[in-house]
Amino acid sequence: MKILSCYINNFGILSDREFVFNDGLNEICEDNGWGKSTLTSFIRVMLYGFENEAAKIKAGRERFAFKPWQGGVYGGTLNIEIGNTRYSI
């Protein structure tokens, strides 16, 4: 699987941001608090959902941690490639 790009409409601190990933290593070098960990969490949540969705208490904490700072609802897309087929999540 290869991650091609993602657009984050609302997820934690990140809002209206697009990321395009190249082949090989992609480096994001930004200050603390910019949203690097939030970006990785967005990708994980798009692929696997929020952690322990069945365990409401822990899931509630994770959902709260990435609640959109700007208000509104969570949103975004993740574009991946598996083999020669592209998918949009």
Side-chain angles (χ1 to χ4, degrees):
M1 179 184 79
K2 179 169 56 169
I3 299 174
L4 302 172
S5 65
C6 71
Y7 171 75
I8 301 174
N9 184 35
N10 266 331
F11 193 84
I13 193 172
L14 299 174
S15 178
D16 194 26
R17 299 295 307 258
E18 184 170 8
F19 301 91
V20 177
F21 302 101
N22 301 311
D23 287 341
L25 180 67
N26 289 263
E27 182 178 348
I28 298 175
C29 204
E30 296 289 344
D31 292 335
N32 289 341
W34 180 86
K36 300 177 299 290
S37 296
T38 302
L39 173 59
T40 60
S41 293
F42 172 81
I43 293 169
R44 181 185 49 76
V45 166
M46 291 299 285
L47 293 172
Y48 303 107
F50 283 103
E51 285 183 354
N52 295 324
E53 192 65 32
K56 297 295 183 192
I57 294 172
K58 186 172 183 181
R61 280 187 272 164
E62 186 180 38
R63 284 182 186 273
F64 180 76
F66 295 111
K67 183 177 178 181
W69 289 21
Q70 304 76 14
V73 297
Y74 303 91
T77 59
L78 180 67
N79 299 302
I80 62 173
E81 183 177 78
I82 301 174
N84 292 323
T85 306
R86 292 183 176 198
Y87 300 92
S88 183
I89 303 169

